[in-house]
Amino acid sequence: MVESKEQNEHLRDIANLCYRCKKCSVICPVAPSGRFNPRKFIQEINLETPGRLKKGRKFCDTEEDIWVCLTCGQCRVCPQGLEIPEMVREIRKEVREQVPNDPRFTATETHMNIFPIAFELMRKNPKPAQKQTILNQYASIQKWPALEMAQTGSIAYYPGCFNLYEHALVNLHVQQTLTAYAIIRFLNLTGITPVVANDYCCGHDALWAGDEETFLSFGKRNIEIWKAAGVKTILVSCAEGFRTLSVDYPKYFPEFSFQVEFAADYFDRNQIFKKIRGFEVKCRSIVTVHDPCRSGRLVDGGHYESVRNLLQNLIFLEIVEMPHNRDEARCCGVASFRNCTDYARDMTRKRIKEAMKVGAKYIVTTCPKCVSHFQCVTLNEAAALKAKFGKDPPKVMDLFSFIYSAYNANDLL
Ligand code: SF4
Ligand code: SF4
Ligand code: SF4
């Protein structure tokens, strides 16, 4: 664990690179709220902290509210290459250690704090979900073919927390179980039987909330499980899981030796749909892609094109782009189920309006949380959006749920 003093010095060295051009503040979606401004935050580290440290104070005294930052990475336009989300995360960790009951942190709770409570229970009482059983129960309820899944093998599919989201957000139709089913079913149809292990949450939310202990405990257990199953390659469809396994696990766990691939990239690279006999799926609809930060700006080489390439397998489907796409995609408004304020929901609304203005009937994305935040607005404010635009708001779906729904119905309007 990095000692606070060393951490402070390390952060101050980075902050010293800032020449106050304000590019980060201009693009930051939360800066206009007056609660967090990235340039001021950097300045606070750079200029004020030495004085604070002399007085024995630490970064947990930051005047900028670090819990409001979305860690969305739009500030990666910084010409000096400052990685502000990473710096925010480091300071959050210190705050959690120094001020466990920081009121600014507890004020960010959403959904009656159900997700952190669930993660805490998982950490203390590690009874992993029987994922293969859950997925085939789902198949049976839908009257769909049972899935073929292996206990051991070289290629695994990591479905993440699909069962938690499905139950906790049932009224928002996140359909994360459908996503997991779709990916495994499509793989089965090309003769691939992936390992689906009883692994745990990747620890993304804990890590970004400064709770490294929980993150490390999940990561350690997951690595042991994948090693025992003989896994070499892990496919991840959830943007947050992909970022966590491909960037954070290698950084925190020297023993992490797996190849991690974004599921959309794998399907595109291996032309999976072209290998499925009779895959001639019509979809006479209009779709736009919301690029999540975790599979875009916050990983190397933004994984944008594979998502669009896969959609192009659907006959008649029109793909329209929002003005802010790929690296410039706007944030969905809420991060890690924290800080769902009026201001945040307004950001979500703006993104939905952007999709409506380009005529999209569907917003397709690869992050279950983006799906939930958008659905929360499109479902709860459908009448207001219809009154403003004269049409229903778009439906919001995960990429693979969308493609499987079209495949299953051989159309989707
Ligand atoms: S964009 Fe970078 S250099 Fe410019 S003010 Fe922000 S942190 Fe400083
Ligand atoms: S990560 Fe997003 S919210 Fe945080 S400072 Fe950067 S642009 Fe602003
Ligand atoms: S916008 Fe997101 S965080 Fe807020 S209530 Fe809806 S689903 Fe929960």
Side-chain angles (χ1 to χ4, degrees):
M1 188 183 293
V2 182
E3 292 301 323
S4 292
K5 189 163 172 291
E6 287 169 25
Q7 185 187 27
N8 290 348
E9 281 165 9
H10 147 73
L11 286 173
R12 201 162 55 239
D13 285 347
I14 299 173
N16 256 323
L17 298 170
C18 170
Y19 55 71
R20 300 192 219 169
C21 69
K22 298 188 186 170
K23 283 191 176 164
C24 55
S25 308
V26 169
I27 203 161
C28 172
V30 298
S33 74
R35 293 179 65 191
F36 182 84
N37 180 312
R39 184 186 59 84
K40 288 186 185 163
F41 163 73
I42 294 296
Q43 253 183 291
E44 211 175 340
I45 296 172
N46 195 0
L47 299 175
E48 297 185 19
T49 306
R52 285 170 177 247
L53 287 178
K54 267 185 215 149
K55 288 181 233 153
R57 295 175 68 186
K58 298 190 175 70
F59 286 131
C60 38
D61 300 328
T62 53
E63 275 153 29
E64 297 303 304
D65 187 347
I66 50 164
W67 301 107
V68 173
C69 169
L70 291 158
T71 68
C72 66
Q74 283 176 238
C75 50
R76 287 204 159 188
V77 293
C78 172
Q80 290 293 82
L82 268 73
E83 297 194 345
I84 295 168
E86 315 293 331
M87 298 171 83
V88 166
R89 196 178 73 183
E90 284 194 44
I91 293 181
R92 285 178 177 177
K93 174 178 163 268
E94 178 170 324
V95 173
R96 292 295 295 278
E97 284 167 6
Q98 308 281 334
V99 196
N101 297 316
D102 178 11
R104 289 197 304 195
F105 173 65
T106 47
T108 63
E109 286 173 6
T110 61
H111 294 266
M112 296 181 292
N113 216 25
I114 187 172
F115 297 108
I117 291 169
F119 298 142
E120 182 72 2
L121 287 173
M122 276 188 236
R123 185 167 70 85
K124 289 191 171 155
N125 186 20
K127 282 190 188 153
Q130 303 297 306
K131 292 186 177 174
Q132 294 194 8
T133 307
I134 294 170
L135 285 164
N136 269 333
Q137 279 169 348
Y138 173 80
S140 162
I141 291 166
Q142 303 295 328
K143 300 193 182 351
W144 289 346
L147 296 172
E148 289 166 25
M149 295 169 275
Q151 300 292 345
T152 58
S154 62
I155 182 160
Y157 168 58
Y158 174 63
C161 296
F162 73 99
N163 42 333
L164 173 63
Y165 292 138
E166 193 78 67
H167 289 105
L169 304 170
V170 66
N171 56 335
L172 296 180
H173 308 291
V174 180
Q175 300 192 94
Q176 200 56 14
T177 314
L178 171 57
T179 300
Y181 178 89
I183 288 172
I184 301 164
R185 177 71 184 142
F186 284 138
L187 291 174
N188 286 172
L189 286 168
T190 58
I192 299 168
T193 303
V195 171
V196 175
N198 294 329
D199 33 33
Y200 293 81
C201 165
C202 64
H204 170 278
D205 287 8
L207 182 66
W208 288 91
D211 177 4
E212 254 185 36
E213 198 183 338
T214 300
F215 165 76
L216 291 172
S217 121
F218 286 152
K220 190 166 172 289
R221 280 191 220 146
N222 283 336
I223 291 168
E224 281 165 9
I225 288 167
W226 296 326
K227 275 196 174 155
V231 169
K232 303 271 181 267
T233 300
I234 306 170
L235 304 184
V236 191
S237 52
C238 158
E240 288 185 339
F242 176 61
R243 149 78 204 203
T244 308
L245 266 63
S246 63
V247 177
D248 301 309
Y249 275 25
K251 196 164 110 190
Y252 280 85
F253 303 101
E255 72 274 29
F256 189 84
S257 58
F258 308 96
Q259 188 196 342
V260 178
E261 189 160 6
F262 196 41
D265 291 355
Y266 180 87
F267 270 62
D268 186 33
R269 186 169 59 77
N270 290 291
Q271 297 286 294
I272 293 290
F273 295 131
K274 298 222 170 2
K275 290 178 184 163
I276 296 175
R277 269 182 56 203
F279 190 97
E280 286 176 12
V281 181
K282 291 196 286 292
C283 186
R284 290 168 294 164
S285 197
I286 305 169
V287 70
T288 194
V289 176
H290 168 75
D291 299 294
C293 57
R294 261 53 180 171
S295 56
R297 290 183 291 268
L298 294 193
V299 287
D300 283 340
H303 299 250
Y304 306 127
E305 302 317 317
S306 58
V307 174
R308 289 158 174 85
N309 292 345
L310 293 187
L311 288 169
Q312 277 167 0
N313 284 282
L314 302 179
I315 303 162
F316 304 133
L317 181 65
E318 189 183 340
I319 305 172
V320 289
E321 293 290 354
M322 289 184 269
H324 299 103
N325 60 68
R326 298 175 170 83
D327 272 354
E328 275 86 46
R330 294 298 184 244
C331 177
C332 67
V334 186
S336 303
F337 286 117
R338 292 207 161 267
N339 220 32
C340 178
T341 58
D342 286 346
Y343 187 87
R345 286 176 73 89
D346 207 41
M347 287 174 56
T348 315
R349 267 180 220 116
K350 277 189 191 142
R351 191 66 172 149
I352 291 165
K353 286 175 184 171
E354 204 176 333
M356 291 183 82
K357 278 186 188 158
V358 295
K361 292 185 178 173
Y362 285 86
I363 298 174
V364 161
T365 188
T366 52
C367 173
K369 293 207 185 106
C370 293
V371 173
S372 70
H373 309 316
F374 287 139
Q375 286 279 79
C376 197
V377 170
T378 55
L379 297 177
N380 291 321
E381 300 178 18
L385 287 165
K386 187 167 184 176
K388 183 167 169 60
F389 288 90
K391 57 186 173 186
D392 289 322
K395 294 179 183 138
V396 190
M397 291 182 86
D398 169 89
L399 171 71
F400 287 97
S401 293
F402 179 79
I403 295 177
Y404 192 81
S405 300
Y407 169 78
N408 211 23
N410 196 20
D411 209 351
L412 209 58
L413 298 175

